[in-house]
Amino acid sequence: MGPKLKEQRSQSPGDQGSGEPAERTARRIAAVEVGNPPKALQALEEPALKAIPPAPPAEPTQKLAPRASMKRRHYGAVISFLLLVLLPIAGAAYYLFEIAKEQYASTVGFAVQKEDMPSAVELLGGITELSGSSSSSDTDILFEFIQSQEMVRLIDDKLDLNAKYVLEEDPVFSLADGAKIEDMTDYWQRMVKVFYDSSSGLIEIRVHAFSPEDATAIATAIFDESSRMINEMSAIARDDATRYAAEDLERASDRLKEARQVFTQFQTRTQIVDPQADVVGQMTVLNTLQTQLVTTQIELDLLLTTTNSTDPRIQSLERRIDAISDRIEAEKRRLVESDNELDNAYSELLGEYEALAVDKEFAQASWLSASAAYDAARAEAVRTSRYLASYIGPTRAESSQYPQRFLILALITGALFMGWAILTLVFYSLRDRK
């Protein structure tokens, strides 16, 4: 294989034109085939490398910046960082971990429930389920009431908030001594956190205090006052629902009383309990008299046919007929004419009685209708009632979780650093513009 390769290399077209490169190539191939390629190649390449002139050194294109050193403005930035950032952070940390008093939290959660009980018609129709739903408007009112000055005043009157929140050794997290109601309201919103979920109508309150007992007592008082306020709202709504019906019932009652009084006065004045019954009695008397008159006349006619006119019985019957006729005429006049013993004739008394009876019946019907409406309004008001349902009772803390020292310190650190950085950037931007 060696002689053939050597022969082929010597006969290549590129080597025919120049003797020196072809000879050098043949030597390189022979050296590789002998068995020590690296040294042979190095020996062959050394003359070629020596023949190439060295490249001139490259000149530097840019000078290097001098080494940085502290300037006076740098010392100012460091000092301002120490004064505006590190020193306040150290003071805040010392106050939070050495001076600030432990705070305990009590949680209470509740919701305003509205129970709408079914009416009798719904019960007959088979709709018997109770629907308990939260009234969002009532919950919104309660949410504002808990944070209001009125709630603070009520709790202060009951528990004396100054005695529970005033601590001279912790002026930052405590209430100032002798604080006014406005200051107490601001402090109340710091120590009493109200969380309200408008979608579900749930209210959760977290009360902070410097002892577990005080926190639980304040949370209980808040729940009691909230429940009282909801009960008052329910009573007001109930009164509003029944007020107009009660007014109508009162007017109907007065009208019925007046009608009965006039009717009683009529009966007392005329000494007649029922003119209609009295007239019926008078007509009965007239009918009886008419019957007696006819009977007497028949007897008289029979007697005249059998005896003469001088018979004493005829005279007796005639006198009887005259007496009965006079009584009939008197009874008729009593029905239609005035009488000395009565103010009016029976016809006028009957007309007056009918008018009074109609007024009395109408007043009675009006009273029954108003009474039914009032009962229906009261039933509707009773069916719809509001109450405060607690799903988390006032809890009692066993350990202190507040103030959150590390969180507060981290927020102070971030705020101070951002403030310092902004002031520094503003200072250097103004300095560079000059």
Side-chain angles (χ1 to χ4, degrees), residues 21-304:
E23 184 179 356
R24 188 180 300 152
T25 303
R27 289 180 194 173
R28 187 181 301 169
I29 295 172
V32 171
E33 291 179 354
V34 170
N36 195 2
K39 291 183 179 181
L41 290 174
Q42 183 178 4
L44 292 174
E45 294 292 340
E46 283 181 357
L49 294 174
K50 290 180 179 180
I52 299 174
E59 296 182 358
T61 59
Q62 187 176 3
K63 295 183 179 180
L64 298 176
R67 186 176 180 180
S69 60
M70 292 289 291
K71 304 295 183 181
R72 186 174 62 182
R73 62 178 182 274
H74 299 153
Y75 288 107
V78 172
I79 293 173
S80 65
F81 183 79
L82 293 175
L83 294 177
L84 300 179
V85 179
L86 295 183
L87 187 60
I89 291 175
Y94 175 77
Y95 188 91
L96 288 172
F97 290 94
E98 297 295 333
I99 299 178
K101 298 299 179 182
E102 301 290 341
Q103 296 181 14
Y104 300 85
S106 176
T107 303
V108 60
F110 48 81
V112 179
Q113 290 296 316
K114 180 179 179 182
E115 291 294 341
D116 191 4
M117 301 190 332
S119 62
V121 176
E122 293 173 343
L123 289 175
L124 292 175
I127 306 174
T128 58
E129 63 177 277
L130 296 178
S131 61
S133 60
S134 176
S135 178
S136 59
S137 59
D138 294 340
T139 310
D140 294 336
I141 295 173
L142 185 60
F143 174 74
E144 296 296 334
F145 174 71
I146 294 172
Q147 304 176 87
S148 66
Q149 188 179 108
E150 180 66 20
M151 174 63 84
V152 178
R153 190 182 301 277
L154 292 172
I155 301 300
D156 184 46
D157 294 339
K158 182 181 292 187
L159 300 177
D160 189 8
L161 295 178
N162 283 290
K164 298 184 181 299
Y165 282 126
V166 173
L167 294 177
E168 296 181 356
E169 58 271 21
D170 187 3
V172 174
F173 294 100
S174 66
L175 179 65
D177 190 11
K180 303 298 182 182
I181 187 64
E182 292 79 10
D183 300 330
M184 293 178 65
T185 303
D186 295 337
Y187 184 77
W188 174 269
Q189 295 177 357
R190 288 171 49 193
M191 301 300 287
V192 178
K193 303 296 183 182
V194 184
F195 306 96
Y196 172 42
D197 185 2
S198 59
S199 60
S200 61
L202 301 179
I203 293 180
E204 184 173 330
I205 302 174
R206 187 176 68 231
V207 180
H208 295 194
F210 297 106
S211 68
E213 295 79 9
D214 291 343
T216 304
I218 295 173
T220 303
I222 292 175
F223 178 79
D224 294 340
E225 293 298 331
S226 300
S227 180
R228 180 190 59 81
M229 195 268 288
I230 288 298
N231 291 335
E232 289 182 355
M233 291 176 57
S234 182
I236 291 173
R238 203 162 41 243
D239 293 340
D240 290 341
T242 59
R243 182 176 58 188
Y244 298 108
E247 292 176 355
D248 292 340
L249 178 60
E250 185 177 0
R251 286 192 296 268
S253 299
D254 294 339
R255 185 173 183 178
L256 179 60
K257 290 178 183 178
E258 184 179 356
R260 286 178 174 178
Q261 289 177 357
V262 173
F263 194 79
T264 302
Q265 291 174 358
F266 171 81
Q267 291 176 336
T268 303
R269 176 172 55 85
T270 59
Q271 297 296 319
I272 299 174
V273 177
D274 189 358
Q276 291 181 347
D278 194 39
V279 169
V280 172
Q282 294 294 328
M283 294 303 297
T284 303
V285 171
L286 285 174
N287 292 332
T288 303
L289 292 173
Q290 291 287 350
T291 303
Q292 292 179 0
L293 179 62
V294 172
T295 303
T296 304
Q297 287 178 347
I298 292 173
E299 291 178 359
L300 179 60
D301 293 339
L302 292 175
L303 188 59
L304 288 174

